[in-house]
């Protein structure tokens, strides 16, 4: 299964909103600037997230978007399903021979488990500390 930019950027929106949860609405232009993404593309992605009830919009000068529930109550799987559709490693699992079908079902279930047990709150706490693991000599 390959997650497209829709799913990746959708998770980015949700993580940004999760980090600011309880602080009021966040404009998409702020998220776009912070993560160096296209604001127009984020606008396209936030529509399905709003229609599914994961985010709500606030209009006005201090408007923007905010999560409708606490970040710990929204899973990565919720976001991916809205933007990418059903989670499945291959099309037509039911048409496969038994050994392959069992493998695809196990892979699908493992991916679902990871996505469904990872909350937006979990993702907001993940730090990008890659550079701390390396020693640089000049």
């Amino acid at each position: 299964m390959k997650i497209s930019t829709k799913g990746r950027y959708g998770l980015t929106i949700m993580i940004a909103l999760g980090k600011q949860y309880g602080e009021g609405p966040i404009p998409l232009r702020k998220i776009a600037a912070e993560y160096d993404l296209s604001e127009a593309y984020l606008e396209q992605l936030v529509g399905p997230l709003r229609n599914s009830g994961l985010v709500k919009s606030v209009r006005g000068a201090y408007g923007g978007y905010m999560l409708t529930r606490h970040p710990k109550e929204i899973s990565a799987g919720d976001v991916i399903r809205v933007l990418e559709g059903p989670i499945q490693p291959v099309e037509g699992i039911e048409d496969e021979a038994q050994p392959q079908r069992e493998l695809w079902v196990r892979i699908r279930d493992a991916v679902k488990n990871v996505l469904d047990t990872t909350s937006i709150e979990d993702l907001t706490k993940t730090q990008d500390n890659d550079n701390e693991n390396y020693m640089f000599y000049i």
Side-chain angles (χ1 to χ4, degrees):
M1 173 181 178
K2 188 173 181 178
I3 307 289
S4 72
T5 55
K6 285 174 24 176
R8 292 174 35 227
Y9 290 3
L11 278 173
T12 300
I13 293 169
M14 297 298 284
I15 292 166
L17 295 177
K19 286 180 179 179
Q20 304 286 323
Y21 183 76
E23 298 178 19
I26 309 298
L28 280 185
R29 71 178 167 278
K30 180 179 176 185
I31 297 171
E34 182 177 341
Y35 293 94
D36 195 27
L37 303 172
S38 163
E39 183 180 352
Y41 190 53
L42 296 185
E43 285 284 353
Q44 292 176 12
L45 299 178
V46 81
L49 295 172
R50 187 182 62 246
N51 293 340
S52 68
L54 294 176
V55 300
K56 68 178 179 178
S57 61
V58 177
R59 301 176 85 169
Y62 299 102
Y65 292 89
M66 51 199 304
L67 300 180
T68 57
R69 295 179 283 168
H70 194 281
K72 69 181 173 189
E73 297 172 3
I74 302 171
S75 74
D78 295 334
V79 179
I80 296 299
R81 282 185 193 88
V82 166
L83 296 172
E84 299 280 354
I87 298 165
Q88 52 188 0
V90 294
E91 297 288 329
I93 290 176
E94 56 280 343
D95 298 333
E96 295 281 342
Q98 186 63 30
Q100 291 97 326
R101 185 175 342 143
E102 288 179 18
L103 173 64
W104 302 137
V105 168
R106 286 178 37 212
I107 291 171
R108 179 199 64 204
D109 292 347
V111 171
K112 279 184 177 182
N113 182 50
V114 170
L115 291 173
D116 290 339
T117 59
T118 304
S119 72
I120 298 301
E121 182 177 65
D122 296 334
L123 296 173
T124 64
K125 293 179 180 177
T126 303
Q127 298 295 319
D128 188 13
N129 294 328
D130 290 338
N131 289 339
E132 291 182 11
N133 298 327
Y134 298 100
M135 178 68 70
F136 295 98
Y137 297 96
I138 299 176

